[in-house]
Structures are given as C-alpha cells and as structure tokens.
C-alpha cells in the first residue's frame, strides 16, 4: 500500500463508495485498508458513528435501503468470512482486480462476502454437483460462415481463419476481427457469431465497430458492409461501440425492434426470459423504434420495449451495473433474487426452478464471473436462500 496515501485519501474513497462513484479497483483498495490497517479501523469507527447519528426521515421506520446496505457493510467488513475462489484463468480487461474480489449483501439477511484468492481450499456446501454445472463460463464462441461451415473460437493464438467476400477473418488473441481487403464490392455475405450459455466473445466488424457478445447470444452480420446502411441482427445480449460513419447509419434488428445508432456506446439485453428488451445508453445517442412508437435516448437512459411493442423510458440508470458482465463480473444494486438468478442461469448454464413461496429480497454487491457456481450458491445460502442442485437444474426452495 503506497505510504504517501493518508487517511484523508481513504476517507474520500469511502465517501465515493457510498455515492457509488468509485471504481472496482478503488473499492478493493478501500476494503483492504479497512480490514488490515489500524488507521483504516479508526476510519471505520468514524463512519459507524456517523451512521448511528443519522435519523430516519419523518414518518419512516427505517433508513432507505441503500443506506442500510452501506451501514451493514461497514459493520461487517472487518469480520467478513473469507471464501475460496478459483484462480482467474484469463485477463478480463481493465477491471481485472475486481475478479479477485467480491462483496455481496442480502438486504433481508445482512451478510458480507469478501473474496480473495484462497490459501487453502474451503469445503463446499453443495453435494454431488455436476462438473458442467459447477464450472464458470468460458471465453469461447462458434463462427458460422456463409456456406454453413462452423469454426470454434477460443482465446488461443493469432491466425487467419477464412476469407469472406472482401474481408479476411482473424482470431487475434481471443478476439474475432474482420479486416477489409482490396477488391470490388460484392453482394453481402452474412456470418453468424454464436455463444452458448456460459460463453462470451468480442468481435470487431469490418467498419471498426466493436461488439462484446454475452452468453447464450448471437449476432448475424455482413462480412463487409455495402450499400447505404450497416445492419446486423442480435439475439441475447451484447455491448456495442459503433464506429461513426455519417453516410451509413448503423441499425440493429432485435425481434420486432430496431435500434438506430448515431455514433455511440450502449448495451442491448434481449434475452427471451426477460420481461422487456432493454437498450441502455452510455455515450452518444440511439433511437429505439418499435411497432408502437420510438424514443431517442440520452446517456444514462434506458428504453424498455414490451412484447406488445410499448416503449418505456427509464432515466438515471446505473450503467456500471448493466455492463458489468463485459468487464468480467456480476454487479447488483438492490437487485431482486429472480434477476440475480437469471444472470447466473445464462452464465453457469443451469435451469432455475422455484418451489413454494419465495420471500422477496434484494441484493447489493459484486461477484467475479470467474467464481465457481459452488461459491456463488454458498453466498445465496448464507443469505437465507435455500436450494438444491440436481445436475443442471437449480431448484430454489421457498416456504
């Protein structure tokens, strides 16, 4: 820990953590400081004292849920149990430090889990787990060429895979890249990139646009864009960084919905088990069109398109939570149990089944997607979520 960083620095970090503005690296640094340093423990005591002085709003019997969560974290952080997590098998990008740490709190039962690399194995609480169900996801996908040939992609090596029209296809260190080559324009040749449950893969299109494909998803796209527009089709979830081209708008077809891209960064979640198709804008502008209307989004806004085509605008969206999957972790901000489990289902390739009455509860925290299903379920169990795992079926038991 750098000696020049004093208590004021960490007090500022704690304030940023309360306001949900610190990065995963800063959160990890703060947790280390509060747990291991005498000055950190003094700072913790100061914040606990400040929380004790806070009074509920008039007419309310409790603090706002976010305040309770922060208080619970501060109260438990020094005594948080250490749970094992398998070593990260690959670099997951600029937030790789977050892959070595996770904090999660269930609002119904206040428990904090702080993940670190294990010194010794910890006994599992799940019996007879099928290996396929217990393993975290992979950096993998299948590319289907225009002639139907299928190529399995992984993170190995740099190689040219094929030539499709005016594009050479390369697998560059775990990234599928289309490079436009010389030659006369030809009719569009379509390829499809597909991930299974528990797989993810990035793609660079011939125009330079970058796409990150989440688990159980697919993108159909031309090897080289021709004509007066750039159009692709998506199922599942993907994050986009679209190259600007004023003369050729970029359009994404998702079921009966179309997203017109105006040069931007955004995420689309169109999983079949979600109630709505959600488009979340981080930067730039997009226009979302459905059969019953259209809206243009500003950064920090989300559109929700229902199956009947109704479009709803949501403002003040936590974009970090939405794209956490791209950086290699799950992030929950007062998230309900069914939403948490849907994300686990896509990544760990398990079917979620509910038995009996499931008590409503919310979760706040971060979990590495490199963590095994065993450890993820251990957290749920500690938060009073009862379950049993039968092969690839996760049965959540209620009252």
């Amino acid at each position: 820990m750098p000696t020049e960083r004093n208590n004021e620095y960490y007090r500022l970090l704690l304030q940023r953590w309360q306001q949900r503005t610190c990065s995963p690296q800063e959160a990890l640094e703060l947790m280390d400081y509060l747990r291991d340093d005498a000055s950190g423990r003094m700072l913790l005591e100061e914040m606990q004292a400040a929380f004790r002085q806070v009074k509920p709003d008039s007419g309310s019997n409790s603090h706002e849920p976010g305040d309770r969560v922060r208080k619970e974290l501060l109260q438990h952080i020094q005594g948080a149990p250490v749970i094992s997590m398998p070593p990260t098998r690959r670099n997951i990008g600029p937030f790789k430090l977050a892959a070595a740490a996770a904090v999660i709190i269930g609002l119904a039962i206040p428990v904090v889990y702080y993940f670190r690399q294990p010194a010794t194995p910890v006994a599992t609480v799940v019996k007879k787990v099928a290996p396929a169900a217990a393993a975290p996801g992979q950096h993998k996908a299948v590319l289907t060429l225009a002639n139907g040939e299928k190529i399995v992609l992984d993170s190995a090596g740099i190689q040219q895979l094929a030539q499709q029209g005016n594009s050479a296809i390369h697998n560059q260190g775990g990234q599928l890249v289309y490079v436009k080559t010389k030659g006369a324009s030809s009719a569009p040749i379509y390829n499809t990139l597909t991930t299974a449950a528990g797989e993810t893969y990035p793609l660079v299109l011939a125009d330079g646009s970058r796409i990150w494909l989440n688990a159980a998803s697919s993108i159909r796209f031309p090897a080289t864009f021709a004509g007066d527009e750039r159009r692709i089709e998506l199922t599942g979830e993907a994050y986009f960084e679209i190259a600007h081209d004023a003369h050729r708008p970029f359009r994404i077809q998702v079921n009966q919905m179309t997203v017109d891209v105006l040069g931007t960064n955004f995420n689309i979640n169109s999983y079949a088990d979600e109630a709505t198709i959600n488009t979340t804008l981080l930067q730039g502008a997009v226009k979302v069109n459905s059969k019953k209307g259209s809206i243009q989004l500003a950064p920090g806004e989300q559109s929700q398109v229902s199956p009947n085509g109704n479009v709803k605008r949501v403002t003040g969206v936590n974009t970090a939570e939405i794209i956490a999957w791209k950086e290699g972790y799950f992030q929950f901000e007062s998230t309900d149990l069914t939403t948490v489990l849907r994300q686990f289902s896509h990544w760990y390739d398990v079917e979620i089944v509910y038995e009996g009455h499931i008590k409503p509860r919310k979760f706040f925290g971060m979990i590495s997607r490199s963590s095994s299903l065993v450890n993820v379920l251990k957290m749920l169990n500690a938060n009073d979520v009862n379950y049993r795992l039968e092969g690839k079926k996760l049965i959540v038991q209620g009252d």
Side-chain angles (χ1 to χ4, degrees):
M1 184 181 302
T3 56
E4 67 271 13
R5 292 184 175 178
N6 57 25
N7 211 39
E8 290 302 319
Y9 169 79
Y10 293 100
R11 183 176 285 106
L12 176 61
L13 276 192
L14 186 52
Q15 181 181 6
R16 292 184 61 190
W17 188 87
Q18 290 176 262
Q19 298 169 347
R20 305 286 200 273
T21 59
C22 71
S23 69
Q25 299 100 315
E26 290 172 333
L28 176 57
E29 182 181 0
L30 175 63
M31 301 312 157
D32 283 338
Y33 181 71
L34 293 176
R35 286 171 59 89
D36 299 334
D37 189 274
S39 297
R41 290 192 292 273
M42 292 178 60
L43 176 58
L44 181 63
E45 291 173 1
E46 289 179 21
M47 295 306 299
Q48 289 172 331
F51 272 117
R52 284 192 291 268
Q53 294 173 5
V54 176
K55 298 188 182 297
D57 293 337
S58 177
S60 173
N61 294 323
S62 64
H63 295 300
E64 186 269 337
D67 292 333
R68 295 203 311 272
V69 167
R70 291 190 287 273
K71 181 176 181 180
E72 289 161 1
L73 176 59
L74 291 173
Q75 289 175 336
H76 286 80
I77 212 168
Q78 286 179 291
V82 178
I83 306 298
S84 68
M85 182 180 73
T88 302
R89 292 182 296 176
R90 66 179 188 277
N91 186 331
I92 60 171
F95 296 102
K96 62 183 179 180
L97 283 178
V103 179
I104 186 166
I105 301 174
L107 298 188
I109 304 294
V111 176
V112 177
Y113 277 97
Y114 184 70
F115 279 71
R116 301 293 288 173
Q117 296 291 351
T120 57
V122 177
T124 177
V125 299
V126 180
K127 302 290 194 303
K128 298 181 180 179
V129 178
Q138 305 176 66
H139 192 69
K140 189 177 179 181
V142 173
L143 174 65
T144 303
L145 303 180
N147 62 1
E149 179 185 353
K150 295 182 183 298
I151 302 174
V152 177
L153 306 173
D154 58 25
S155 58
I158 300 177
Q159 54 181 315
Q160 181 168 335
L161 302 176
Q163 181 79 30
Q164 294 279 274
N166 294 336
S167 284
I169 308 173
H170 299 264
N171 192 37
Q172 299 181 355
Q175 178 176 250
L176 184 63
V177 180
Y178 281 66
V179 179
K180 190 174 181 179
T181 57
K182 294 181 179 179
S185 298
S186 59
I189 298 176
Y190 284 89
N191 292 175
T192 302
L193 183 65
T194 305
T195 55
E199 297 178 352
T200 182
Y201 218 80
L203 163 68
V204 180
L205 299 176
D207 68 340
S209 296
R210 300 170 63 86
I211 302 172
W212 286 258
L213 194 62
N214 203 354
S217 304
S218 70
I219 292 182
R220 182 175 182 267
F221 56 93
T224 304
F225 290 107
D228 57 2
E229 71 171 6
R230 297 169 290 166
R231 181 181 289 268
I232 69 171
E233 300 172 16
L234 169 70
T235 64
E237 183 170 23
Y239 174 79
F240 299 84
E241 293 180 356
I242 301 304
H244 178 70
D245 186 338
H247 303 291
R248 292 189 300 173
F250 198 104
R251 294 189 170 95
I252 304 168
Q253 189 73 39
V254 186
N255 295 336
Q256 301 302 310
M257 181 190 84
T258 303
V259 176
D260 291 338
V261 182
L262 311 176
T264 185
N265 301 348
F266 60 100
N267 191 87
I268 299 178
N269 182 341
S270 65
Y271 284 119
D273 57 0
E274 296 288 343
T276 57
I277 299 175
N278 300 333
T279 302
T280 308
L281 183 64
L282 282 78
Q283 180 179 334
V286 296
K287 185 179 182 182
V288 178
N289 309 288
S290 79
K291 59 186 178 182
K292 289 193 175 180
S294 63
I295 58 174
Q296 182 165 316
L297 299 179
E301 294 184 341
Q302 179 184 87
S303 69
Q304 297 179 349
V305 178
S306 64
N308 64 9
N310 289 330
V311 186
K312 176 183 177 181
R313 184 194 307 271
V314 179
T315 60
V317 175
N318 186 332
T319 56
E321 179 183 5
I322 300 297
I323 68 166
W325 67 266
K326 170 182 168 287
E327 305 298 346
Y329 59 96
F330 302 102
Q331 181 170 335
F332 305 121
E333 296 281 345
S334 193
T335 306
D336 63 85
L337 177 62
T338 56
T339 300
V340 170
L341 292 178
R342 280 201 304 273
Q343 293 192 38
F344 292 165
S345 173
H346 298 154
W347 189 239
Y348 295 104
D349 193 16
V350 291
E351 177 188 358
I352 309 298
V353 177
Y354 296 94
E355 287 186 350
H357 173 70
I358 308 300
K359 293 186 296 185
R361 69 195 68 222
K362 302 287 186 178
F363 291 88
F364 167 83
M366 295 168 60
I367 312 171
S368 167
R369 299 216 309 181
S370 294
S371 207
S372 71
L373 180 60
V374 170
N375 280 338
V376 168
L377 296 180
K378 197 177 296 185
M379 293 189 307
L380 294 178
N381 185 259
N383 281 282
D384 200 30
V385 178
N386 298 316
Y387 64 89
R388 66 181 187 273
L389 191 61
E390 297 179 356
K392 289 193 173 184
K393 184 176 291 187
L394 176 61
I395 302 169
V396 181
Q397 300 166 299
D399 300 335

